[in-house]
Amino acid sequence: MELKLDQVAIALDGHTLVSLTEVVVPGSVLTVMGPSGSGKSTLLAYVGGFLDPSFQAAGRVWINGRDVTDLPAEERRAGILFQDPLLFPHMTVEGNLLFGLAPHVRGRDARRHAVDVALDQFELGGLGNRDPATLSGGQKARVALARVLLSAPHALLLDEPFSKLDAPLRRAMRDLVFAEARARNLPVLLVTHDQADADAAGGTLLRIGA
Amino acid sequence: MTRLGPPLAVLLLGLPVLIGLLGTILPAFGILPALGGVTPSLAPLEQLLAMPGVWRSAALSFWIGLASGAGSLFVVMLFVAGWSGTHTFKRLQRTIAPLLSVPHAAAAFGFAFLIAPSGFLARLLSPELTGWTAPPNVLIPNDSWGLSMIAGLMLKEIPFLLLITLAALPQVEAQRGRAVVAALGFGRTAGFLLALWPAIYRQIRLGIFAVLAFSSSVVDVAAILGPTLPPTLAPRLLQWITDPDLTLRFAAAAGALLQLGVTLGVLLVWIGLEQGGAFLRDRVATSGRRFRHDRAVRIVAAAGLAASAGAVFLGLLTLAIWSIAGLWTFPDLLPQSLTLRGWESVLPRLSNPLLTTLIVAASATLLAVALAVLCLANEDRRGRPAGRAALWMIYLPLIIPQPAFLFGLQLAFVSVDLQATLAALVFVHLVFVLPYVFLSLSDPWRSLDRRYEQVARGLGRSRRRAFWTVRMPLLLRALLTAAAIGFAVSVGQYLPTVLIGAGRLTTVTTEAVALASGGNRRVIGVWTFVQMILPFVGFLVATLVPALVFRRFRAVRV
Amino acid sequence: MFKALALAAALFGATAGAATAADPDPRNWDGVVAEARGQKVFFNAWGGAENINAYLQWAAGELKRRFDIELVHVKLEDTATAVATVLAEKTAGRTEGGSVDLVWINGENFAAMKDADLLLGNAWAEQLPNFALADTENKPTIRTDFTVPVEGQESPWGMAKLVFFHDSARTAAGSLPTSSAALLDWARSHPGRFTYPQPPDFIGSSFLKQVLIERVEDPAVLSKPADPATFNEVTAPLWSFLDELNPLLWRGGQAFAQNYPAMKQLLADNEVDIIFAFNPSEAQSAIAAGELPDTVRSFTFPEGTLGNTHFVAIPFNAAAKAGSMVTANFLLSPEAQARKQDPTYWGDPTVLALDKLTPEDRARFEAIDLGPATLKPDELGPALDEPHPSWMDAVEAEWTRRYGAGN
């Protein structure tokens, strides 16, 4: 599994924001840094498949050896984490995870079991039936991570995912996310303006804008 | 699919208005082949101007439209400026919200029953305080200056303007803005008016235009509270269009154009007032004065708002009592006896109008919500919200005075033999329901975090699945609220129902207003009670269903 | 295009002719009843009075049960609306399947519809089985509606006569006016305690006609159409009367009651002392309904007040002509007429001649308790004939010009 950005260029009103060609090998992280408005989140949206139509974009995106540029978001298998956990507030924790769990796990029992395993793995045991609104910040972040990993993505897109967590939690979460990505051999595209994120990620660092 | 939304909506809002205007303009200049009018002429205009008191009627419409709009805005503006962010504000806001669901006719009837010389207020004070054993011989309501009509209109316009102002508040970051002007040493009211109000005003401006247009051309409230010698223009137009003398239709068409002119005149004068207000504001803002002592203004504003809410509630209570009153002579505060005779006499004849009301309101609301969703989903697809032109389009049927295009629309329906069909009635209601539904839904729709859907897409769900499993449930409350508003708007429609239903399809509103000119108060009480309970039930459903469905989920429960 | 239009017009004409040929013939009554079965009759009738609405609801139930006819009461504020509808349909070429099947009508509206050929002809009304029971001998207004010959184009339904009501608890019977001149005197000594419904309301216009008949120099001119050349001269006494009366009225004549029910409410609220209606037992009905105190009593002018008959008529293009005929005949039946005369239900005097009825049917009428507030038939005083309908239009227009547009 690898993530390949082939001459990707994104412009707004004729003004180029981002232009790059990169290969992110499995288990490694490409970190894109830049001030707000520099277009780093736009790059993420382009890779994820929900770029706002007001932008003009060119270049190909390959995920796991497949050109996904013309595929809709849901077929790209690019899992995304935002700075907010964005747990669906109208579903339980378990409901959120079942919603995320990849379709190839079939059967009620098998799917429940997969979710239970994930809950335990992410120290969420016993919380399956909870309203997401009642969870702590760290728990919410872990549910979001579990949800995206259960969907069996081929790449991980991180949009400043740690910026809203307090410092100790941020470190723990960062370690957890990168460890999971490495363990699953996922290429990761991280956009951030936090140098510490970039340091922890290792891998290539790309600065854009300004 | 969503691509169809905007063109359908434009067609639905624009086409009836255009066809209707054309169907009004042509007869106004003598062209109406069905009645033998084939050559253009100014005869309809002459016929109109020969009508006794037509200028006075027009002047009354102008004055009442302008005064009620200005009065309502004044109260709302001062109240929001003086109180927003306080506990009082939240309390009054909660009290006012249900008032939006009370149909104009019900509020007007209640108000009439309250303020008449033999009304509830006079009974409350008589004979102990006033010494009145017979009602005083003063001309209220229906006073020749239209003051009771202005007050009656304000009862409904204040909650409407307050709610659209509340919707605009978050967009101007009122909370922080207030802190900033307070830090600069301004009094609460003045600081708000000088610094924050202009931005809010821009947001609610079209809503104010709609209020001005409505109150300068309203029929039902005029029939209940308005002057009678002569009445305002709109009810006279309705009289002419239903007169057995068909040649009066020409005069009615010309009159509808005059109505258009009156309403445009009100709007023009209003725009002039806006300029004057802005000039004054700039002068005051740069003068350095801080207006720290605004206690009196704040109290007056809150009192005005509370009085308007109180009048509606007390009026509705009076209606409810009348609906079960036996003999109730002046100055008794309560009836000598209670009886269900009013209800018994109405109930057997309630089912048909009630059914029509429900079918039409439910269909129009359903269609309107579906269309609004299509339009908003299309915005998401295109990635940018509809522009100013689209907003004007949405407000078009609310700003063009109803008689100006409904007369022509009625002719059009007659000519294709669709008058008095359910489909036609649903269609014409939709024209008025859709704008409110769209306006009510668009804010929560646009402010829903789009990343929820992006997460769902990233998890491998299609656009459609994400829409149905994530966006729709999260917007359930907003959808139901928009539907409740649409339902209430449909239930309250009078002129469109009278003209297109042609007396063969009646709703609880046309039944109630038909009794306006002095039917039995008990029966009016029953009809208006039913009329006001329907939208109320709608809002109840909109509140209870999300609370029930999402009872386990704190963030979406309310 | 023009060819197509001509063709359409020709087709229309053909079907219209066919419709006329197929009009039900009341002489073959069984045929009419059979044809009426399953029909839906849109009865356009003033809907401003609850007791009348309830009466029609009862009639609808009976018609459904006995004849399988669905009677739909289209409630009008003004009968003129129905006239306008039919006229509009005729203008638009809709000569069959019209939306009005039956209309409650008399006077100017009847004259207008008859004039414009908007009514079903062939004297159908006089061939209804129950018409034989109508009191055509003693009630000439059954055959002459506001001076216009009825010619069987409308079927009689009820009688009307102008009577006045007062509350005997507040106003002594001896102090009441006995003529319009006396009414003016009374108003002088009781300012603000009288009003009349704002013309063109039917009751209000009737009051104007009552005054006109009493004060006009030569009442005979009123039976002929109004002549614009002499109108001002003939009606001058009316206007000088109103110029004096109006400022003495409730609200100083700055507003008028909008109709009879409003006036009734004013009496109940102690805002006025004298009101009037076209239905002699209206006060009794209102007492029964708890709308007026039981001390209300009736009085009339000894020299006579306006009297007339009201009817139902079938438009030329009605969709359910047979159903409408069966309905008209049912409304004319002793059973329906007796219920109508009972103030518990409505209290509208019958058009039937009691001596033409069977003993059982006569007993229905004799059993009705008119109550203390209603004048007996022999106390009602003479009935004054209605003027030609054109006077009503002209008087209404002139009233609106003089008083209806503010000052």
Side-chain angles (χ1 to χ4, degrees):
Chain A
M1 280 190 270
E2 68 174 19
L3 169 65
K4 200 164 80 185
L5 305 176
D6 184 5
Q7 297 183 8
V8 167
I10 301 174
L12 179 61
D13 302 327
H15 169 71
T16 302
L17 300 170
V18 192
S19 168
L20 78 169
T21 297
E22 287 287 342
V23 175
V24 191
V25 299
S28 77
V29 180
L30 168 63
T31 305
V32 180
M33 286 192 73
S36 39
S38 61
K40 55 188 194 300
S41 292
T42 315
L43 172 66
L44 215 67
Y46 182 62
V47 176
F50 22 79
L51 185 68
D52 193 294
S54 46
F55 292 93
Q56 304 90 45
R60 315 302 295 177
V61 178
W62 296 72
I63 294 176
N64 196 22
R66 219 164 38 125
D67 181 354
V68 300
T69 318
D70 299 320
L71 292 180
E74 62 269 21
E75 288 173 33
R76 298 186 174 199
R77 308 199 65 168
I80 188 163
L81 281 177
F82 290 104
Q83 54 184 326
D84 300 297
L86 295 171
L87 302 180
F88 301 126
H90 59 299
M91 302 176 184
T92 58
V93 168
E94 188 185 35
N96 267 279
L97 297 186
L98 281 169
F99 186 90
L101 182 60
H104 64 75
V105 183
R106 284 172 198 278
R108 236 172 103 87
D109 291 342
R111 289 182 70 80
R112 272 182 197 279
H113 180 69
V115 165
D116 281 344
V117 169
L119 283 171
D120 287 340
Q121 186 197 342
F122 290 98
E123 294 167 39
L124 295 164
L127 296 183
N129 211 16
R130 288 274 287 273
D131 172 3
T134 63
L135 298 185
S136 73
Q139 289 169 330
K140 284 181 190 167
R142 289 203 299 282
V143 175
L145 176 62
R147 182 174 66 179
V148 72
L149 292 177
L150 280 175
S151 74
H154 290 168
L156 214 46
L157 309 176
L158 308 180
D159 190 354
E160 307 196 28
F162 317 118
S163 62
K164 282 201 174 168
L165 301 172
D166 55 43
L169 201 54
R170 187 182 309 168
R171 208 169 310 124
M173 204 55 212
R174 200 150 48 201
D175 294 346
L176 180 62
V177 170
F178 291 142
E180 287 297 332
R182 249 192 313 279
R184 287 159 206 253
N185 252 336
L186 293 175
V188 177
L189 176 58
L190 165 69
V191 307
T192 183
H193 56 238
D194 183 350
Q195 184 63 46
D197 283 352
D199 294 345
T204 317
L205 172 63
L206 200 72
R207 291 184 188 276
I208 63 169
Chain B
M1 179 75 175
T2 64
R3 269 162 226 273
L4 285 176
L8 259 179
V10 166
L11 211 67
L12 216 65
L13 296 173
L15 206 63
V17 176
L18 279 184
I19 291 180
L21 276 177
L22 199 68
T24 305
I25 291 170
L26 290 180
F29 291 101
I31 311 272
L32 183 54
L35 292 180
V38 283
T39 48
S41 83
L42 289 177
L45 202 63
E46 286 158 13
Q47 190 188 9
L48 170 72
L49 296 183
M51 291 286 182
V54 68
W55 286 116
R56 192 183 161 103
S57 291
L60 272 172
S61 293
F62 179 88
W63 150 247
I64 288 170
L66 199 60
S68 65
S72 317
L73 184 66
F74 201 66
V75 171
V76 169
M77 181 173 83
L78 289 184
F79 176 68
V80 174
W83 296 89
S84 76
T86 66
H87 277 296
T88 312
F89 190 77
K90 286 211 188 69
R91 259 201 304 279
L92 272 171
Q93 176 186 341
R94 263 202 300 276
T95 323
I96 291 278
L99 295 186
L100 199 64
S101 75
V102 179
H104 277 89
F109 271 125
F111 190 58
F113 285 17
L114 199 61
I115 62 164
S118 60
F120 199 67
L121 283 184
R123 288 168 192 265
L124 213 54
L125 306 175
S126 301
E128 292 80 8
L129 291 177
T130 58
W132 295 335
T133 48
N137 191 9
V138 288
L139 184 45
I140 300 174
N142 315 114
D143 58 283
S144 8
W145 278 91
L147 297 180
S148 29
M149 181 173 163
I150 290 172
L153 282 168
M154 284 176 63
L155 295 185
K156 279 293 294 169
E157 287 163 5
I158 285 175
F160 174 71
L161 289 178
L162 184 64
L163 286 181
I164 60 174
T165 306
L166 289 177
L169 275 181
Q171 292 164 43
V172 300
E173 308 225 32
Q175 204 69 33
R176 275 188 272 176
R178 222 176 14 249
V180 171
V181 287
L184 294 174
F186 280 91
R188 184 181 261 277
T189 308
F192 192 98
L193 290 182
L194 295 175
L196 298 171
W197 183 253
I200 295 175
Y201 186 82
R202 263 195 298 282
Q203 302 264 350
I204 65 169
R205 186 165 182 242
L206 285 177
I208 294 169
F209 282 10
V211 162
L212 291 168
F214 178 83
S215 44
S216 61
S217 66
V218 65
V219 175
D220 50 358
V221 178
I224 297 162
L225 294 170
T228 51
L229 286 180
T232 54
L233 195 53
R236 292 188 79 183
L237 299 181
L238 183 62
Q239 246 170 38
W240 297 339
I241 206 147
T242 50
D243 198 280
D245 180 0
L246 284 186
T247 57
L248 277 182
R249 285 194 161 241
F250 289 104
L257 280 197
L258 178 60
Q259 174 70 66
L260 187 63
V262 166
T263 299
L264 288 181
V266 170
L267 294 179
L268 280 178
V269 168
W270 187 264
I271 291 170
L273 289 176
E274 286 175 349
Q275 308 275 331
F279 177 76
L280 212 66
R281 185 194 68 223
D282 292 344
R283 286 288 292 269
V284 171
T286 50
S287 70
R289 296 180 60 188
R290 291 293 189 259
F291 305 98
R292 240 165 282 173
H293 304 289
D294 55 4
R295 215 178 129 76
V297 178
R298 293 182 62 200
I299 288 172
V300 167
L305 200 85
S308 80
V312 177
F313 284 123
L314 210 54
L316 295 179
L317 178 72
T318 315
L319 281 174
I321 301 178
W322 266 112
S323 79
I324 51 168
L327 189 64
W328 191 7
T329 51
F330 191 86
D332 299 346
L333 182 58
L334 291 171
Q336 285 171 19
S337 59
L338 297 182
T339 167
L340 286 177
R341 187 188 269 270
W343 283 93
E344 281 164 6
S345 74
V346 170
L347 277 181
R349 279 161 297 104
L350 187 63
S351 57
N352 264 331
L354 187 62
L355 206 64
T356 310
T357 310
L358 290 175
I359 292 175
V360 171
S363 320
T365 302
L366 213 64
L367 287 170
V369 170
L371 263 168
V373 165
L374 278 183
C375 289
L376 289 163
N378 189 57
E379 277 185 8
D380 290 347
R381 192 182 59 79
R382 291 173 62 232
R384 55 163 184 252
R388 279 211 83 65
L391 205 58
W392 272 98
M393 194 74 210
I394 288 159
Y395 268 108
L396 190 67
L398 307 184
I399 290 177
I400 304 286
Q402 290 191 356
F405 71 98
L406 283 178
F407 288 1
L409 201 59
Q410 186 204 25
L411 273 181
F413 276 124
V414 170
S415 67
V416 292
D417 218 3
L418 274 177
Q419 199 195 19
T421 58
L422 268 177
L425 201 55
V426 169
F427 174 74
V428 74
H429 274 218
L430 186 54
V431 173
F432 298 100
V433 169
L434 181 56
Y436 287 102
V437 167
F438 186 87
L439 294 172
S440 133
L441 189 57
S442 55
D443 275 333
W445 183 285
R446 288 172 187 150
S447 59
L448 180 73
D449 198 329
R450 296 181 63 176
R451 293 174 306 170
Y452 278 118
E453 279 172 294
Q454 296 181 353
V455 165
R457 302 282 303 280
L459 295 173
R461 296 305 155 91
S462 67
R463 184 189 286 275
R464 186 174 294 248
R465 271 297 289 283
F467 179 83
W468 286 108
T469 55
V470 176
R471 180 169 278 272
M472 284 289 115
L474 289 183
L475 285 174
L476 180 66
R477 191 189 166 74
L479 286 165
L480 287 174
T481 304
I485 289 175
F487 190 82
V489 167
S490 170
V491 169
Q493 288 301 317
Y494 176 68
L495 191 62
T497 316
V498 166
L499 288 177
I500 306 302
R504 304 222 285 159
L505 287 174
T506 62
T507 62
V508 291
T509 295
T510 58
E511 293 280 349
V513 178
L515 299 164
S517 46
N520 184 330
R521 283 194 192 145
R522 294 155 190 84
V523 178
I524 293 178
V526 174
W527 280 111
T528 39
F529 192 81
V530 175
Q531 197 208 9
M532 95 194 164
I533 209 79
L534 288 180
F536 180 75
V537 169
F539 279 96
L540 206 64
V541 168
T543 315
L544 289 185
V545 164
L548 210 63
V549 171
F550 295 134
R551 63 189 174 282
R552 293 197 46 211
F553 302 100
R554 210 165 59 187
V556 280
R557 193 161 48 206
V558 284
Chain C
M1 180 68 192
F2 280 108
K3 261 188 196 160
L5 278 178
L7 188 67
L11 282 173
F12 245 127
T15 47
T20 313
D23 278 348
D25 180 0
R27 278 167 301 191
N28 172 14
W29 189 244
D30 291 341
V32 172
V33 172
E35 189 183 338
R37 213 156 267 289
Q39 284 190 338
K40 197 170 181 174
V41 175
F42 286 97
F43 185 15
N44 288 39
W46 181 68
E50 279 313 305
N51 53 347
I52 301 177
N53 294 349
Y55 176 82
L56 286 179
Q57 190 71 24
W58 167 80
E62 295 301 308
L63 284 163
K64 181 76 195 163
R65 200 164 56 78
R66 300 181 196 186
F67 303 104
D68 191 24
I69 289 172
E70 191 182 337
L71 186 71
V72 182
H73 181 188
V74 179
K75 294 189 201 62
L76 304 180
E77 273 187 82
D78 185 347
T79 305
T81 314
V83 183
T85 307
V86 178
L87 195 50
E89 286 174 358
K90 178 171 183 167
T91 321
R94 187 159 157 190
T95 52
E96 60 173 81
S99 57
V100 181
D101 291 308
L102 196 64
V103 55
W104 184 12
I105 198 168
N106 75 352
E108 57 164 357
N109 290 312
F110 173 68
M113 289 192 85
K114 192 176 178 227
D115 255 7
D117 280 329
L118 297 176
L119 292 174
L120 185 62
N122 298 331
W124 63 272
E126 303 218 343
Q127 290 148 25
L128 295 180
N130 284 331
F131 186 80
L133 306 175
D135 191 5
T136 45
E137 293 79 8
N138 301 308
K139 300 186 172 87
T141 49
I142 290 179
R143 283 202 159 120
T144 315
D145 184 5
F146 287 50
T147 75
V148 177
V150 171
E151 292 169 347
Q153 294 196 26
E154 51 181 358
S155 170
W157 192 18
M159 298 297 293
K161 185 157 190 313
L162 198 65
V163 288
F164 296 86
F165 308 133
H166 70 107
D167 186 347
S168 62
R170 297 203 304 258
T171 325
S175 66
L176 297 169
T178 51
S179 66
S180 60
L183 179 65
L184 183 57
D185 286 337
W186 185 90
R188 283 197 195 98
S189 51
H190 302 83
R193 304 296 292 178
F194 179 70
T195 186
Y196 55 91
Q198 181 174 337
D201 174 81
F202 182 66
I203 306 287
S205 303
S206 298
F207 175 75
L208 301 187
K209 285 186 288 184
Q210 171 75 30
V211 175
L212 179 64
I213 293 169
E214 283 189 53
R215 305 184 77 87
V216 72
E217 264 178 50
D218 173 19
V221 299
L222 299 180
S223 61
K224 297 187 228 21
D227 177 357
T230 58
F231 177 79
N232 284 336
E233 189 193 323
V234 172
T235 57
L238 171 63
W239 309 122
S240 65
F241 176 89
L242 292 179
D243 286 343
E244 245 188 292
L245 178 69
N246 281 359
L248 300 169
L249 294 179
W250 176 78
R251 305 291 187 252
Q254 292 298 303
F256 291 81
Q258 291 300 297
N259 52 28
Y260 170 72
M263 211 161 52
K264 179 165 63 178
Q265 189 64 53
L266 292 180
L267 182 66
D269 286 343
N270 192 8
E271 294 215 40
V272 299
D273 287 328
I274 295 175
I275 64 167
F276 51 93
F278 239 126
N279 174 350
S281 48
E282 172 50 45
Q284 191 63 42
S285 309
I287 292 171
E291 295 166 7
L292 289 177
D294 56 10
T295 44
V296 167
R297 293 293 177 271
S298 305
F299 68 100
T300 182
F301 291 169
E303 300 293 312
T305 53
L306 275 184
N308 65 46
T309 302
H310 51 95
F311 302 81
V312 295
I314 304 176
F316 78 104
N317 64 349
K321 293 195 179 90
S324 296
M325 284 180 187
V326 175
T327 302
N329 191 57
F330 173 74
L331 294 176
L332 198 51
S333 67
E335 184 189 355
Q337 288 273 314
R339 186 181 173 98
K340 184 162 66 72
Q341 183 156 347
D342 189 337
T344 325
Y345 303 113
W346 179 354
D348 190 49
T350 183
V351 294
L352 301 182
L354 294 194
D355 55 10
K356 292 183 183 173
L357 305 183
T358 63
E360 302 86 69
D361 282 338
R362 204 175 312 138
R364 291 176 191 273
F365 285 91
E366 281 156 3
I368 297 171
D369 177 13
L370 292 180
T374 311
L375 296 172
K376 303 282 171 292
D378 57 343
E379 298 169 327
L380 277 173
L384 302 178
D385 279 339
E386 290 275 356
H388 187 272
S390 55
W391 288 97
M392 183 131 148
D393 290 339
V395 165
E396 282 169 358
E398 180 65 12
W399 188 93
T400 306
R401 197 186 66 75
R402 284 172 178 261
Y403 312 111
N407 306 308

